[in-house]
Amino acid sequence: MESLTGVLIFAIAVFAVSAVMSILPSLITRMGEHVHRVLAISAGIMIGIVFLMILPEAFEESHEEAGLEPLFIFAILLVGFFVAFFLDMYVNHEGEHTHKATSMSAYGGMVIHAAFDGISLAAGFSAGDDVGALILVAVCVHKCAEVFSLSAALNVSMDSRKATRFMIGFSAVTPIAAILAYFLINGEPTLTGPAMMLSAGILLFVVMCDMLPEIYDHEDADSPNVRSAFLMIGVAVAVVAVIITELLTGGHGH
């Protein structure tokens, strides 16, 4: 099987997995009392994704492949954080908090990550079909966590039909980027790491300054301890996804 065939199979499989996972949060959030539990799981998954998936890979790509110094790499992270901060202030109109602003900030950060996922992964199939197959499974595992987390945030802030449209678009980002990279970029690493570091900064702001306060500021039937338990469940999901990915790819990420 040629590499192009592998990339096309990858694109179809990732889109299918992402589309299916994006439906689950909408089914759960229809039961209003579970909204903050779902948001807590979503935040936990996103925290795990940022610290265990995006940051290590972004640093490796930026330092080893692009040759950037650590100080400059983490300056990009800081820029991403403040980009999200100023966008959040602008969208929220003088700081008024909304679910929509939170979810759309998260959406923007995850789209950047998903696009460069596709670019960096396209080159993996050139190493052979066996490697490509492992990469495919590993990506599908961590896509499940990413898509569930993002879809949960969107379903809290908008009606399910609109959230579904956004998630269909998101589900297509990585596959399209992988196909384009195969023909045009061929996995060029120079921009991949810095762009992923930028997305990590955006997502850090979203989780720490928007999602976590939203989880704990509102009173409902759940105590803070219960919400913290669901937050840690989300982190555990991300940890399991990372472990499976590392086992499948022999410790070389995806």
Side-chain angles (χ1 to χ4, degrees):
M1 181 171 63
E2 297 180 355
S3 295
L4 176 58
T5 305
V7 171
L8 292 175
I9 291 174
F10 161 80
I12 295 170
V14 170
F15 180 81
V17 169
S18 299
V20 170
M21 288 301 298
S22 68
I23 298 172
L24 294 182
S26 67
L27 301 177
I28 299 173
T29 53
R30 288 175 186 174
M31 298 173 284
E33 67 271 19
H34 295 304
V35 166
H36 287 96
R37 294 182 182 183
V38 174
L39 196 60
I41 292 175
S42 170
I45 293 173
M46 203 167 290
I47 289 171
I49 287 171
V50 169
F51 283 101
L52 300 178
M53 290 183 180
I54 301 179
L55 281 175
E57 183 179 354
F59 183 83
E60 181 178 358
E61 292 281 351
S62 299
H63 185 59
E64 296 183 9
E65 301 294 341
L68 301 180
E69 292 299 319
L71 180 62
F72 184 73
I73 294 171
F74 284 97
I76 297 173
L77 178 71
L78 186 63
V79 168
F81 185 92
F82 278 103
V83 164
F85 170 76
F86 287 114
L87 286 176
D88 188 71
M89 293 295 291
Y90 175 77
V91 171
N92 282 340
H93 303 292
E94 299 181 0
E96 180 185 355
H97 179 81
T98 63
H99 282 298
K100 184 175 182 180
T102 298
S103 61
M104 293 313 296
S105 296
Y107 190 85
M110 292 296 278
V111 163
I112 295 173
H113 171 57
F116 282 88
D117 252 358
I119 293 172
S120 61
L121 289 169
F125 285 91
S126 63
D129 294 337
D130 292 342
V131 175
L134 291 177
I135 291 173
L136 174 60
V137 175
V139 169
C140 286
V141 169
H142 98 248
K143 276 296 175 187
C144 287
E146 288 181 355
V147 171
F148 181 90
S149 173
L150 182 58
S151 181
L154 290 179
N155 274 278
V156 169
S157 67
M158 61 186 69
D159 66 80
S160 59
R161 290 185 179 180
K162 188 174 182 180
T164 298
R165 290 196 295 270
F166 272 101
M167 289 309 302
I168 289 174
F170 177 79
S171 299
V173 171
T174 296
I176 291 174
I179 294 171
L180 290 176
Y182 180 83
F183 289 107
L184 301 176
I185 305 174
N186 195 27
E188 174 59 45
T190 305
L191 294 178
T192 301
M196 291 180 68
M197 191 64 73
L198 187 72
S199 76
I202 294 172
L203 292 174
L204 275 176
F205 175 85
V206 171
V207 174
M208 300 302 179
C209 300
D210 279 340
M211 295 184 77
L212 290 182
E214 174 65 21
I215 292 166
Y216 289 100
D217 281 352
H218 292 266
E219 294 184 2
D220 56 22
D222 288 337
S223 69
N225 289 338
V226 171
R227 299 181 198 186
S228 295
F230 279 95
L231 179 72
M232 296 313 298
I233 288 172
V235 174
V237 169
V239 169
V240 170
V242 169
I243 291 172
I244 294 174
T245 300
E246 292 296 300
L247 290 174
L248 289 173
T249 58
H252 297 291
H254 54 268

